């Protein structure tokens, strides 16, 4: 059974710092990996999707990498801002069509101090 | 383009009552999903559908039923609510096994 782990569970850093969130998964047979952001009491906002054949994806100040063979992904946030404060979730779909949905990690709760 | 919408946003039920949660998407997506989110457990898949008229069980299907009579709608039913079903329910949709888009959630409390 696929398990997704996110480290750290919580992180607090001063504004302006670059930071890295980590995600690991136990079964490397994945179809893609998706990073989400969730604000308190809100739904999930998709940030980046990495297909299994890709190594990284970038969107603005966000960069996500994927090392499928080692079962790891990182989300790099450059020049952090207070508005980046949220919970960040990592999720994977297994190979074979992925019709059985996403398997999620429990998230990293990020606080950016002004 | 509203994306994925969920009705209702909040609901309080008594044990044994029934209710239906409605998910609607206007992106013409084939795949739709229902997840629940609980503190300390993360999000877990309840049921999913790969097209109109199809449904399948996810990781935690017990106590729930679903229907996909129209491509744009996916209904989640609780026939006899239990306190263990207190949770936040999220619906999502995607084209094929690709990027999933989530609704705003329904916060359900069962007393």
């Amino acid at each position: 059974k696929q398990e997704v782990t996110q480290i750290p569970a919580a992180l607090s850093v001063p504004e302006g710092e670059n930071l890295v969130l980590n995600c690991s998964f136990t079964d490397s047979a994945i179809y893609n990996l998706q990073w989400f952001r969730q604000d308190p009491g809100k739904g999930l906002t998709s940030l980046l999707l990495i297909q299994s054949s890709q190594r990284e994806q970038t969107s603005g100040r966000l960069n996500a990498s994927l090392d499928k063979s080692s079962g790891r992904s990182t989300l790099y946030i450059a020049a952090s801002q207070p508005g980046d404060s949220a919970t960040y979730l990592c999720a994977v779909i297994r190979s074979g069509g992925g019709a059985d949905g996403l398997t999620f990690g429990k998230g990293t709760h990020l606080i950016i101090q002004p | 383009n509203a994306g994925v919408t969920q009705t209702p946003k909040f609901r309080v039920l008594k044990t044994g009552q029934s209710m239906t949660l409605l998910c609607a998407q206007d992106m013409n997506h084939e795949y739709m999903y229902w997840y629940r989110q609980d503190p300390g457990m993360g999000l877990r898949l309840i049921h999913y559908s790969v097209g109109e008229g199809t449904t399948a069980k996810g990781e935690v299907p017990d106590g729930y039923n679903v229907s996909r009579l129209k491509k744009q709608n996916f209904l989640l039913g609780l026939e006899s609510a239990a306190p263990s079903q207190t949770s936040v329910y999220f619906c999502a949709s995607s084209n094929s096994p690709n990027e999933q888009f989530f609704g705003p959630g329904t916060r359900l409390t069962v007393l």
Side-chain angles (χ1 to χ4, degrees):
Chain A
K1 178 186 173 185
Q2 178 74 271
E3 292 184 2
V4 179
T5 303
Q6 291 186 246
I7 295 173
L11 182 63
S12 180
V13 300
E15 179 179 4
E17 283 199 5
N18 303 323
L19 56 99
V20 175
L21 307 182
N22 296 293
C23 171
S24 62
F25 44 94
T26 54
D27 186 350
S28 62
I30 64 167
Y31 188 81
N32 63 42
L33 183 145
Q34 198 167 354
W35 281 95
F36 295 89
R37 167 190 174 132
Q38 186 175 30
D39 293 287
K42 303 293 186 182
L44 280 69
T45 300
S46 179
L47 297 173
L48 290 164
L49 173 76
I50 309 178
Q51 303 288 353
S52 62
S53 59
Q54 298 175 320
R55 297 284 293 182
E56 66 178 329
Q57 281 285 341
T58 298
S59 176
R61 294 183 293 108
L62 304 179
N63 176 277
S65 67
L66 174 64
D67 184 343
K68 199 173 76 160
S69 61
S70 68
R72 295 183 181 185
S73 176
T74 61
L75 179 66
Y76 175 83
I77 303 177
S80 58
Q81 303 170 357
D84 295 330
S85 298
T87 296
Y88 290 80
L89 297 165
C90 167
V92 298
I93 284 186
R94 69 181 178 94
S95 296
D100 52 354
L102 290 162
T103 299
F104 282 85
K106 295 181 180 178
T108 293
H109 181 55
L110 177 64
I111 296 175
I112 307 298
Q113 306 155 10
Chain B
N1 192 335
V4 180
T5 58
Q6 294 184 231
T7 308
K9 290 184 170 54
F10 302 93
R11 185 72 185 268
V12 178
L13 290 178
K14 294 181 179 178
T15 297
Q17 288 185 320
S18 64
M19 77 164 294
T20 300
L21 283 68
L22 171 64
C23 175
Q25 51 95 5
D26 61 2
M27 298 174 282
N28 201 34
H29 285 167
E30 289 292 336
Y31 288 32
M32 296 187 74
Y33 308 84
W34 277 106
Y35 296 87
R36 60 178 287 174
Q37 185 176 35
D38 303 291
M41 299 294 293
L43 281 105
R44 292 175 293 169
L45 182 69
I46 305 172
H47 285 280
Y48 62 96
S49 168
V50 300
E52 182 178 319
T54 75
T55 63
K57 294 180 180 180
E59 181 185 356
V60 287
D62 293 343
Y64 304 96
N65 56 76
V66 288
S67 64
R68 183 102 180 265
L69 299 180
K70 294 182 179 180
K71 184 177 183 179
Q72 64 267 35
N73 294 338
F74 195 28
L75 279 65
L76 178 71
L78 287 73
E79 290 186 349
S80 179
S84 61
Q85 294 177 304
T86 293
S87 187
V88 181
Y89 291 86
F90 288 102
C91 176
S93 71
S94 68
N95 253 339
S96 177
N98 221 322
E99 187 175 13
Q100 291 191 19
F101 296 91
F102 280 72
T106 294
R107 189 172 297 273
L108 174 66
T109 301
V110 182
L111 303 175

